[in-house]
CSV table of all heavy atoms in Angstrom, one decimal:
chain,number,residue,atom,x,y,z
A,348,ARG,N,133.3,85.1,114.2
A,348,ARG,CA,133.6,86.1,113.2
A,348,ARG,C,134.9,87.0,113.7
A,348,ARG,O,135.7,87.3,113.0
A,348,ARG,CB,132.5,86.9,113.0
A,348,ARG,CG,132.8,88.2,112.0
A,348,ARG,CD,131.6,88.9,111.5
A,348,ARG,NE,131.0,89.7,112.7
A,348,ARG,CZ,129.9,90.6,112.5
A,348,ARG,NH1,129.3,90.5,111.3
A,348,ARG,NH2,129.4,91.2,113.4
A,349,ARG,N,134.8,87.4,115.0
A,349,ARG,CA,135.8,88.2,115.6
A,349,ARG,C,137.2,87.6,115.5
A,349,ARG,O,138.2,88.2,115.0
A,349,ARG,CB,135.5,88.5,117.0
A,349,ARG,CG,136.4,89.7,117.7
A,349,ARG,CD,136.0,90.0,119.0
A,349,ARG,NE,136.5,89.0,119.9
A,349,ARG,CZ,137.8,88.9,120.4
A,349,ARG,NH1,138.7,89.8,119.9
A,349,ARG,NH2,138.2,87.9,121.2
A,350,GLN,N,137.3,86.3,115.8
A,350,GLN,CA,138.6,85.6,115.7
A,350,GLN,C,139.1,85.5,114.3
A,350,GLN,O,140.3,85.5,114.0
A,350,GLN,CB,138.4,84.2,116.4
A,350,GLN,CG,138.2,84.2,117.9
A,350,GLN,CD,139.4,84.6,118.6
A,350,GLN,OE1,140.5,84.9,118.1
A,350,GLN,NE2,139.3,84.9,119.9
A,351,LEU,N,138.2,85.3,113.4
A,351,LEU,CA,138.6,85.2,112.0
A,351,LEU,C,139.1,86.4,111.5
A,351,LEU,O,140.2,86.5,110.7
A,351,LEU,CB,137.4,84.6,111.1
A,351,LEU,CG,137.0,83.1,111.2
A,351,LEU,CD1,135.7,82.9,110.4
A,351,LEU,CD2,138.1,82.2,110.6
A,352,VAL,N,138.4,87.6,111.8
A,352,VAL,CA,138.9,88.9,111.4
A,352,VAL,C,140.2,89.2,112.0
A,352,VAL,O,141.1,89.7,111.3
A,352,VAL,CB,137.8,90.0,111.9
A,352,VAL,CG1,138.4,91.4,111.7
A,352,VAL,CG2,136.6,89.7,111.1
A,353,GLU,N,140.4,88.8,113.3
A,353,GLU,CA,141.7,89.1,114.0
A,353,GLU,C,142.8,88.4,113.4
A,353,GLU,O,143.9,88.8,113.2
A,353,GLU,CB,141.5,88.7,115.4
A,353,GLU,CG,142.3,89.6,116.4
A,353,GLU,CD,141.8,89.5,117.9
A,353,GLU,OE1,140.9,90.1,118.2
A,353,GLU,OE2,142.5,88.7,118.6
A,354,ALA,N,142.6,87.0,113.0
A,354,ALA,CA,143.6,86.3,112.4
A,354,ALA,C,143.9,86.8,111.0
A,354,ALA,O,145.1,86.9,110.6
A,354,ALA,CB,143.1,84.8,112.2
A,355,ALA,N,142.9,87.1,110.3
A,355,ALA,CA,143.2,87.8,108.9
A,355,ALA,C,144.0,89.1,109.0
A,355,ALA,O,144.9,89.3,108.2
A,355,ALA,CB,141.9,88.0,108.1
A,356,SER,N,143.7,89.8,110.0
A,356,SER,CA,144.4,91.2,110.1
A,356,SER,C,145.8,90.9,110.5
A,356,SER,O,146.8,91.6,110.0
A,356,SER,CB,143.7,92.0,111.3
A,356,SER,OG,142.4,92.1,111.0
A,357,LYS,N,146.1,89.9,111.4
A,357,LYS,CA,147.5,89.6,111.8
A,357,LYS,C,148.3,89.2,110.6
A,357,LYS,O,149.5,89.5,110.5
A,357,LYS,CB,147.4,88.4,112.8
A,357,LYS,CG,147.5,88.8,114.2
A,357,LYS,CD,147.7,87.5,115.1
A,357,LYS,CE,147.2,87.8,116.6
A,357,LYS,NZ,146.9,86.7,117.3
A,358,GLU,N,147.7,88.5,109.5
A,358,GLU,CA,148.4,88.1,108.4
A,358,GLU,C,148.3,89.0,107.3
A,358,GLU,O,148.6,88.7,106.1
A,358,GLU,CB,147.8,86.7,108.0
A,358,GLU,CG,147.8,85.6,109.0
A,358,GLU,CD,149.3,85.1,109.3
A,358,GLU,OE1,150.2,85.3,108.5
A,358,GLU,OE2,149.4,84.5,110.5
A,359,ASN,N,147.8,90.3,107.6
A,359,ASN,CA,147.6,91.3,106.5
A,359,ASN,C,146.9,90.8,105.3
A,359,ASN,O,147.2,91.1,104.1
A,359,ASN,CB,149.0,91.8,106.0
A,359,ASN,CG,149.8,92.4,107.2
A,359,ASN,OD1,149.1,93.2,108.0
A,359,ASN,ND2,151.1,92.2,107.2
A,360,LEU,N,145.8,90.1,105.5
A,360,LEU,CA,144.9,89.6,104.4
A,360,LEU,C,144.0,90.6,104.2
A,360,LEU,O,143.4,91.4,105.1
A,360,LEU,CB,144.3,88.2,104.7
A,360,LEU,CG,145.4,87.1,105.1
A,360,LEU,CD1,144.6,85.9,105.6
A,360,LEU,CD2,146.0,86.7,103.7
A,361,PRO,N,143.5,90.7,102.8
A,361,PRO,CA,142.5,91.8,102.5
A,361,PRO,C,141.1,91.6,102.9
A,361,PRO,O,140.2,91.2,102.3
A,361,PRO,CB,142.6,91.8,100.9
A,361,PRO,CG,143.0,90.5,100.6
A,361,PRO,CD,143.8,89.9,101.7
A,362,ILE,N,140.9,91.9,104.3
A,362,ILE,CA,139.5,91.7,104.8
A,362,ILE,C,138.6,92.8,104.7
A,362,ILE,O,139.0,93.9,104.9
A,362,ILE,CB,139.7,91.1,106.3
A,362,ILE,CG1,138.4,90.5,106.7
A,362,ILE,CG2,140.1,92.3,107.2
A,362,ILE,CD1,138.7,89.4,107.7
A,363,LYS,N,137.2,92.5,104.3
A,363,LYS,CA,136.3,93.5,104.2
A,363,LYS,C,135.4,93.5,105.5
A,363,LYS,O,134.8,92.5,105.7
A,363,LYS,CB,135.5,93.3,103.0
A,363,LYS,CG,136.1,93.7,101.7
A,363,LYS,CD,135.1,93.7,100.5
A,363,LYS,CE,135.8,94.1,99.2
A,363,LYS,NZ,136.4,92.9,98.5
A,364,MET,N,135.6,94.4,106.3
A,364,MET,CA,134.8,94.3,107.6
A,364,MET,C,133.3,94.6,107.3
A,364,MET,O,132.9,95.5,106.5
A,364,MET,CB,135.2,95.5,108.5
A,364,MET,CG,136.5,95.1,109.3
A,364,MET,SD,136.3,93.8,110.3
A,364,MET,CE,135.1,94.4,111.5
A,365,SER,N,132.4,93.8,108.0
A,365,SER,CA,131.0,94.1,107.8
A,365,SER,C,130.3,93.9,109.2
A,365,SER,O,130.8,92.9,109.9
A,365,SER,CB,130.4,93.1,106.9
A,365,SER,OG,130.6,91.9,107.2
A,366,LEU,N,129.5,94.8,109.5
A,366,LEU,CA,128.8,94.6,110.8
A,366,LEU,C,127.4,94.0,110.6
A,366,LEU,O,127.2,93.5,109.5
A,366,LEU,CB,128.6,96.1,111.4
A,366,LEU,CG,130.0,96.6,111.8
A,366,LEU,CD1,129.9,98.1,112.0
A,366,LEU,CD2,130.7,96.0,113.0
A,367,GLY,N,126.6,94.0,111.6
A,367,GLY,CA,125.3,93.4,111.5
A,367,GLY,C,125.3,91.9,111.7
A,367,GLY,O,126.3,91.3,112.2
A,368,ARG,N,124.3,91.2,111.2
A,368,ARG,CA,124.1,89.8,111.3
A,368,ARG,C,125.2,89.0,110.8
A,368,ARG,O,125.6,89.2,109.7
A,368,ARG,CB,122.8,89.3,110.9
A,368,ARG,CG,122.3,88.1,111.4
A,368,ARG,CD,120.8,87.9,111.0
A,368,ARG,NE,120.6,86.4,110.8
A,368,ARG,CZ,120.5,85.9,109.6
A,368,ARG,NH1,120.7,86.6,108.6
A,368,ARG,NH2,120.3,84.6,109.5
A,369,VAL,N,125.7,87.9,111.5
A,369,VAL,CA,126.7,87.1,110.9
A,369,VAL,C,126.1,86.0,110.1
A,369,VAL,O,125.2,85.3,110.6
A,369,VAL,CB,127.6,86.4,112.0
A,369,VAL,CG1,128.8,85.6,111.5
A,369,VAL,CG2,128.1,87.5,113.0
A,370,THR,N,126.5,85.8,108.9
A,370,THR,CA,125.9,84.8,108.1
A,370,THR,C,127.0,83.7,107.7
A,370,THR,O,128.2,84.0,107.8
A,370,THR,CB,125.5,85.4,106.8
A,370,THR,OG1,126.6,85.8,106.0
A,370,THR,CG2,124.4,86.3,106.9
A,371,ALA,N,126.5,82.5,107.4
A,371,ALA,CA,127.5,81.4,107.0
A,371,ALA,C,128.3,81.8,105.8
A,371,ALA,O,129.6,81.5,105.8
A,371,ALA,CB,126.7,80.2,106.6
A,372,GLU,N,127.8,82.6,104.9
A,372,GLU,CA,128.5,83.0,103.7
A,372,GLU,C,129.6,83.9,104.1
A,372,GLU,O,130.8,83.8,103.5
A,372,GLU,CB,127.6,83.7,102.7
A,372,GLU,CG,126.7,82.8,101.9
A,372,GLU,CD,125.6,82.2,102.9
A,372,GLU,OE1,125.2,82.7,103.8
A,372,GLU,OE2,125.4,80.9,102.6
A,373,GLN,N,129.4,84.8,105.0
A,373,GLN,CA,130.4,85.8,105.5
A,373,GLN,C,131.5,85.1,106.1
A,373,GLN,O,132.7,85.3,105.8
A,373,GLN,CB,129.7,86.7,106.5
A,373,GLN,CG,130.5,87.9,106.9
A,373,GLN,CD,129.8,88.6,108.1
A,373,GLN,OE1,129.7,88.0,109.2
A,373,GLN,NE2,129.4,89.9,107.8
A,374,LEU,N,131.2,84.1,107.0
A,374,LEU,CA,132.3,83.3,107.6
A,374,LEU,C,133.2,82.6,106.7
A,374,LEU,O,134.4,82.5,106.7
A,374,LEU,CB,131.7,82.3,108.6
A,374,LEU,CG,131.0,82.9,109.9
A,374,LEU,CD1,130.5,81.7,110.7
A,374,LEU,CD2,131.9,83.8,110.7
A,375,CYS,N,132.5,82.0,105.6
A,375,CYS,CA,133.3,81.2,104.6
A,375,CYS,C,134.1,82.2,103.7
A,375,CYS,O,135.3,81.8,103.4
A,375,CYS,CB,132.3,80.6,103.6
A,375,CYS,SG,131.5,79.0,104.4
A,376,SER,N,133.6,83.4,103.5
A,376,SER,CA,134.4,84.4,102.7
A,376,SER,C,135.7,84.7,103.5
A,376,SER,O,136.8,84.9,102.9
A,376,SER,CB,133.6,85.6,102.3
A,376,SER,OG,133.4,86.4,103.5
A,377,TYR,N,135.6,84.8,104.8
A,377,TYR,CA,136.8,85.2,105.6
A,377,TYR,C,137.8,84.0,105.6
A,377,TYR,O,138.9,84.2,105.5
A,377,TYR,CB,136.3,85.5,107.2
A,377,TYR,CG,135.6,86.7,107.3
A,377,TYR,CD1,134.9,87.1,108.5
A,377,TYR,CD2,135.5,87.7,106.3
A,377,TYR,CE1,134.2,88.2,108.7
A,377,TYR,CE2,134.8,88.9,106.5
A,377,TYR,CZ,134.2,89.2,107.6
A,377,TYR,OH,133.5,90.2,107.9
A,378,VAL,N,137.2,82.7,105.8
A,378,VAL,CA,138.0,81.6,105.8
A,378,VAL,C,138.8,81.4,104.4
A,378,VAL,O,140.0,81.1,104.4
A,378,VAL,CB,137.2,80.3,105.9
A,378,VAL,CG1,138.0,79.0,105.7
A,378,VAL,CG2,136.8,80.3,107.4
Side-chain angles (χ1 to χ4, degrees):
R348 174 171 72 180
R349 194 180 75 76
Q350 290 292 354
L351 287 171
V352 169
E353 212 161 280
S356 310
K357 262 187 200 159
E358 301 293 339
N359 296 322
L360 298 171
I362 193 148
K363 286 192 182 76
M364 280 298 295
S365 57
L366 296 165
R368 200 167 145 262
V369 186
T370 63
E372 288 64 38
Q373 188 188 71
L374 294 179
C375 285
S376 70
Y377 290 168
V378 167

